[in-house]
Amino acid sequence: MDTKRIALAIMDAALNAADPYMAVRRNLGFVNGKLAVSGEEFEVSGRIYLLAFGKAACAMAGAAVDVLGEKLEEGIIVTKYGYAGNCPQKPNLRVIEAGHPTPDENSLLGAKLGVELAEKVGPDDILLVLISGGGSALFLLPEEGISLEDKIKTNELLLKSGAKIYEINTVRKHISAVKGGKLAKRVRGTVISLILSDVVGDHLETIASGPTVKDPTTFQDAYRILKLYNVWEKLPESVRRHIDRGLNGEAEETLKEDLPNVHNFVVGSGTMACDAAKKKAEEFGFNAAVLTTTLEGEAREIALAIGSIVQEIARYDRPVPKPAVLIAGGEWTVTIEGKAGLGGPNQEFALSIARKIAGLNAVVLAVDTDGTDGPTDAAGGIVDGRTLEKLEKAGIDVEEALKRHDAYHALERAGALLKTGPTGTNVNSLVVAVVPRNSGEG
């Protein structure tokens, strides 16, 4: 098997480990008539309702439906356009496809229906909430006085600002009627949330902006972030007005205490995906190392850092001797100023690292585990030591492409786009670097 196929096989192993259906099945069942969740048991004396939202909502809901069977009273599933193919088809389930990363009218509809469902839950009932990445945009209900258009504008400004995902979600929570634990506050019965983590460090309050989790951030934090990234003055007036009200104590803060009826469980994460990638690499006979599962930063810059380690291995057999595989997980960003081309953080990572590994016998892929990197049909990019030469022969100025954030078209010319289609999961981004023993294996 050649080096590129090995890299792709390692990626597939990581994606399989993050399979949302199996994540739910491993953590949900019945024991002696009680609902068993991650080792804990809950009495089932009333009805069970289901609310799933995020890019992995359908697969997670499918597992829950298989477990709950006739005990499931009613459910709402909200997922991204094109992701509903594997949704369970039941007369008591309603499936809604909505916009991501930019929310739309269906995002608003899904959240309204979700709130209506949550408010049906009686004191003896259970609301099973299945949360995965993308939930912040897909499950959206602005605070009173903020329009969908103003929320979309705010979201676009944040996504282009270079702010980290937890910073973006800090703002989102403070202009939302469901995020930051506000959904959980509406439920009278038991809330059980199974969460597929797509954020660095698996911080529950950040995943999908924490609709069922207490939130340590404040209106002051949201204001500081907006000022730090020069977004405040560009915000719609309604958003600034609401945050000003919060700063003055006139608007409701996010949830600040643990609620006794709310139970949150992480059932899948980027860490699990990286561990599976390492195991697969070792099965191929490679010396494998997980560098980190918390990689963050500007995509093009951290690509150069990872590329430097690949160089060190190729030339000096350190810090991991050849044949070697390096694995890293996390969430990298792209700061856009002015007009941009087409691409995403993983495509920009791949294009940038192509400069650093030029001439080496190595393959590096960077992939968004949900199968969609930025507003494109690519999941990321896969490059090797010959990619830079191919780009130059095609007349592509790599530095200019990076400056214009037009990685998609550059990688396309080099045959280096990585397209997986929707994967059904979402556990951050993943980098796999393969350095074979000698040139004969490249």
Side-chain angles (χ1 to χ4, degrees), residues 75-94:
I76 301 291
I77 303 170
V78 188
T79 193
K80 182 175 177 176
Y81 290 113
Y83 280 51
N86 63 337
C87 266
Q89 303 297 314
K90 299 285 184 180
N92 58 342
L93 294 177
R94 181 167 179 180

Side-chain angles (χ1 to χ4, degrees), residues 40 42 118 121-129 181-193 212-213 255 257-265:
E40 296 188 29
F42 299 87
V121 178
D124 296 326
D125 299 335
I126 293 174
L127 177 64
L128 180 62
V129 186
K182 294 177 187 175
L183 176 66
K185 291 170 71 174
R186 297 172 180 267
V187 182
R188 292 173 295 158
T190 299
V191 178
I192 300 172
S193 292
T212 62
V213 182
L255 178 66
E257 70 278 355
D258 288 314
L259 299 178
N261 63 316
V262 179
H263 310 270
N264 294 288
F265 304 90

Side-chain angles (χ1 to χ4, degrees), residues 213-233:
V213 182
K214 71 177 181 179
D215 175 42
T217 70
T218 64
F219 276 104
Q220 187 62 49
D221 293 322
Y223 176 75
R224 176 184 54 79
I225 289 164
L226 290 165
K227 293 291 283 188
L228 176 65
Y229 290 98
N230 299 313
V231 173
W232 177 255
E233 300 298 332

Side-chain angles (χ1 to χ4, degrees), residues 176-413:
S176 170
V178 290
K179 298 177 173 66
K182 294 177 187 175
L183 176 66
K185 291 170 71 174
R186 297 172 180 267
V187 182
R188 292 173 295 158
T190 299
V191 178
I192 300 172
S193 292
L194 302 186
I195 302 169
L196 190 69
S197 173
D198 72 326
V199 302
V200 173
D202 301 336
H203 301 295
L204 297 186
E205 69 274 9
T206 300
I207 304 165
S209 299
T212 62
V213 182
K214 71 177 181 179
D215 175 42
T217 70
T218 64
F219 276 104
Q220 187 62 49
D221 293 322
Y223 176 75
R224 176 184 54 79
I225 289 164
L226 290 165
K227 293 291 283 188
L228 176 65
Y229 290 98
N230 299 313
V231 173
W232 177 255
E233 300 298 332
K234 304 172 187 175
L235 288 175
E237 176 60 29
S238 65
V239 175
R240 287 203 306 271
R241 184 167 58 246
H242 181 78
I243 292 175
D244 276 333
R245 290 184 63 241
L247 292 171
N248 294 324
E250 299 169 0
E252 181 188 10
E253 255 292 1
T254 49
L255 178 66
K256 299 305 179 195
E257 70 278 355
D258 288 314
L259 299 178
N261 63 316
V262 179
H263 310 270
N264 294 288
F265 304 90
V266 174
V267 296
S269 68
T271 299
M272 297 176 186
C274 287
D275 288 344
K278 180 175 184 289
K279 181 179 179 181
K280 187 65 175 180
E282 290 171 341
E283 289 175 3
F284 280 123
F286 283 74
N287 301 306
V290 176
L291 292 178
T292 177
T293 58
T294 60
L295 186 62
E296 294 180 282
E298 194 72 16
R300 71 174 70 182
E301 300 302 330
I302 60 173
L304 295 178
I306 298 295
S308 294
I309 301 174
V310 173
Q311 276 190 348
E312 197 74 12
I313 293 171
R315 294 172 177 169
Y316 305 115
D317 271 325
R318 62 188 185 194
V320 182
K322 298 190 292 291
V325 169
L326 299 180
I327 299 150
E331 192 79 12
W332 23 103
T333 53
V334 174
T335 303
I336 297 175
E337 296 178 0
K339 188 176 181 180
L342 187 62
N346 288 282
Q347 293 163 65
E348 192 147 315
F349 184 107
L351 185 59
S352 181
I353 204 171
R355 301 174 296 171
K356 200 70 174 177
I357 67 170
L360 299 180
N361 184 26
V363 169
V364 180
L365 68 80
V367 62
D368 191 320
T369 56
D370 76 341
T372 304
D373 184 44
T376 76
D377 61 352
I382 181 166
V383 298
D384 60 26
R386 299 181 296 275
T387 301
L388 184 63
E389 181 183 359
K390 291 178 183 177
L391 289 165
E392 290 172 346
K393 286 183 177 179
I396 301 294
D397 185 328
V398 173
E399 300 301 328
E400 180 62 24
L402 287 168
K403 183 179 179 181
R404 291 186 291 107
H405 305 292
D406 197 26
Y408 182 95
H409 293 116
L411 294 174
E412 186 177 42
R413 292 290 297 275

